[in-house]
Amino acid sequence: FCLMAVPGKAAAFHLPPLPTVGEIIKLFRLKARKQLSQNFLLDLRLTDKIVRQAGELKNAYVCEVGPGPGGITRSILSAGVGQLLLIEKDTRFIPGLQILSEAAPGKVSIVHGDILTYKMEKAFPKHLKKNWDDEPPDIHIIGNLPFSVSTPLIIKWLENVSKKDGPFTYGRTQMTLTFQKEVAERLTANPGGKQRSRLSIMSQHLCTVENCFIIPGQAFVPKPEVDVAVVHFTPLVQPKIQQPFELVEKVVQSVFQFRRKYCFHGIETLFPESGRLKRTEQLMMTANVDPTLRPFQLSMSQFRNLCNTYRKMCDEDPSLFVYNYREELRQKKKKRKLLKSTSQLEETEEEN
């Protein structure tokens, strides 16, 4: 369902006196669900600080993901936004959010739904659309994401950035999101850093990624075992690797498959067993990448060379792109199992 407020004026805005977030939690007997990795942020100074990282929000259109009891929601409304769309999967939070909606007439829409499946390309008015080369549109995505959702969601949104669809139908929509500190370090890691990973390449080749600040775990209720980081994303006008998202992801995933070994071990998994060594050498030589570098040592330009060269090889042999290393391993294992059972059967027949 969708709870819509009546359109209102975009003037200076102050929330009227309301129950505190803590009182809302008590009033509706809300408890964070461990299986949903929920953690509430009650300190409004911290929620204000998160919202400030998003930039100027006066009269802007904002989508908040997983508002929960509404701590960040209050800070967004206090920033003077024009319209606020709340997407909340857990029905227990809807009544508390409705109180905020009533306190800010004309500003708040509440959608009960899952952000992983919600169609954001129709979430905002068409007149907000900007060309990709222009400044980012006056649209922002903000969210204190549950840990279980944060990584699949950012990968989904990075794919949307690459294809300029979903929330990026409107242009280079900015995002301000929370992640586990370790995930944030991966998102922003430089070449050679211990946290350099698939996430580093996939995010940095498409966006400017900034690790804004750390929120200690004890600021949340219940206290998570890790600290939390606020990360800001602005899509780039030109991606650093100009190849389809699926191709870049396949190359990057393959390279990081054996992150502690030399990078050629991962690159080998891009090719079928037949002719694997020759093709791996061809790819690395053409891309001018030292096969004895570790995956986390590779620069963005080296990943770009690998992706561009792999694309040419796929254009010459289309069967390459659909090749799946893990599927080949499964088939080999299945074949060995079948041969073993056949051999055992023959031995039993001979004994008989």
Side-chain angles (χ1 to χ4, degrees):
F1 61 88
C2 180
L3 302 166
M4 296 288 292
V6 183
K9 295 176 183 177
F13 179 77
H14 297 285
L15 281 171
L18 287 166
T20 65
V21 181
E23 286 166 348
I24 291 283
I25 289 170
K26 285 179 185 174
L27 179 65
F28 295 105
R29 297 178 181 177
L30 301 172
K31 285 186 178 179
R33 287 184 173 163
K34 195 172 182 181
Q35 66 269 33
L36 297 177
S37 60
Q38 291 174 338
N39 302 95
F40 303 151
L41 190 56
L42 308 185
D43 187 335
L44 290 181
R45 289 171 302 177
L46 283 172
T47 59
D48 285 348
K49 192 175 179 183
I50 291 171
V51 170
R52 281 198 297 273
Q53 302 306 316
E56 178 55 57
L57 295 185
K58 191 163 179 61
N59 299 328
Y61 284 68
V62 176
C63 171
E64 186 189 352
V65 182
I72 294 177
T73 313
R74 293 173 188 234
S75 295
I76 294 171
L77 287 170
S78 296
V81 297
Q83 291 288 320
L84 174 57
L85 170 65
L86 304 176
I87 301 175
E88 179 53 66
K89 185 179 180 181
D90 193 332
T91 52
R92 297 175 305 143
F93 298 120
I94 302 294
L97 295 172
Q98 180 62 14
I99 289 175
L100 281 175
S101 176
E102 289 163 3
K107 286 183 178 287
V108 182
S109 306
I110 305 171
V111 172
H112 171 224
D114 186 344
I115 190 62
L116 285 167
T117 55
Y118 183 70
K119 304 291 183 188
M120 285 196 70
E121 50 270 71
K122 295 179 181 177
F124 303 104
K126 289 181 181 178
H127 74 264
L128 295 171
K129 286 188 179 183
K130 293 273 190 86
N131 292 325
W132 197 260
D133 295 351
D134 294 342
E135 287 299 304
D138 211 5
I139 296 172
H140 299 261
I141 297 172
I142 300 174
N144 174 29
L145 305 176
F147 296 156
S148 59
V149 162
S150 59
T151 302
L153 183 57
I154 196 58
I155 288 293
K156 175 182 184 288
W157 276 340
L158 289 170
E159 183 171 2
N160 290 146
V161 171
S162 175
K163 295 177 179 177
K164 299 176 185 174
D165 60 14
F168 308 97
T169 304
Y170 301 90
R172 295 185 297 121
T173 301
Q174 296 178 78
M175 303 182 285
T176 308
L177 307 167
T178 61
F179 296 89
Q180 290 181 58
K181 184 184 171 187
E182 188 181 321
V183 176
E185 286 171 350
R186 286 182 202 155
L187 285 163
T188 56
N190 293 318
K194 286 183 180 179
Q195 296 288 3
R196 186 77 162 174
S197 66
R198 163 194 170 220
L199 267 182
S200 317
I201 309 303
M202 297 310 294
S203 58
Q204 292 171 34
H205 105 82
L206 290 163
C207 298
T208 299
V209 191
E210 181 189 356
N211 193 336
C212 303
F213 67 97
I214 305 297
I215 306 174
Q218 60 259 32
F220 293 86
V221 178
K223 178 184 176 294
E225 294 176 5
V226 295
D227 292 338
V228 171
V230 177
V231 183
H232 185 76
F233 300 81
T234 306
L236 295 165
V237 174
Q238 291 291 341
K240 291 178 182 173
I241 304 172
Q242 295 192 32
Q243 294 295 348
F245 183 86
E246 293 82 0
L247 184 141
V248 178
E249 189 174 40
K250 185 179 181 183
V251 171
V252 173
Q253 272 185 328
S254 297
V255 171
F256 279 102
Q257 195 160 188
F258 309 110
R259 65 172 285 115
R260 298 192 179 190
K261 294 185 176 181
Y262 294 145
C263 64
F264 79 84
H265 287 289
I267 289 167
E268 280 183 325
T269 65
L270 288 168
F271 304 108
E273 192 171 24
S274 168
R276 177 173 289 159
L277 186 60
K278 186 180 177 182
R279 281 173 150 173
T280 302
E281 286 175 353
Q282 180 191 343
L283 173 56
M284 304 217 71
M285 282 181 67
T286 309
N288 194 27
V289 173
D290 181 348
T292 62
L293 288 173
R294 312 283 177 185
F296 59 87
Q297 293 176 307
L298 297 182
S299 67
M300 188 65 75
S301 62
Q302 287 171 316
F303 271 105
R304 180 171 59 241
N305 291 348
L306 287 170
C307 290
N308 290 344
T309 307
Y310 179 65
R311 171 67 186 270
K312 286 177 184 173
M313 294 173 83
C314 288
D315 288 344
E316 290 167 8
D317 179 1
S319 68
L320 262 190
F321 187 69
V322 294
Y323 166 72
N324 186 310
Y325 173 72
R326 291 187 182 279
E327 182 57 32
E328 186 179 65
L329 284 183
R330 274 194 293 271
Q331 292 300 329
K332 282 173 74 176
K333 195 175 178 182
K334 195 175 174 183
K335 195 174 178 181
R336 279 199 301 268
K337 203 173 178 181
L338 186 66
L339 286 169
K340 190 178 177 183
S341 60
T342 305
S343 175
Q344 286 172 342
L345 185 67
E346 287 172 352
E347 285 174 12
T348 306
E349 285 175 350
E350 281 176 17
E351 285 170 9
N352 290 341

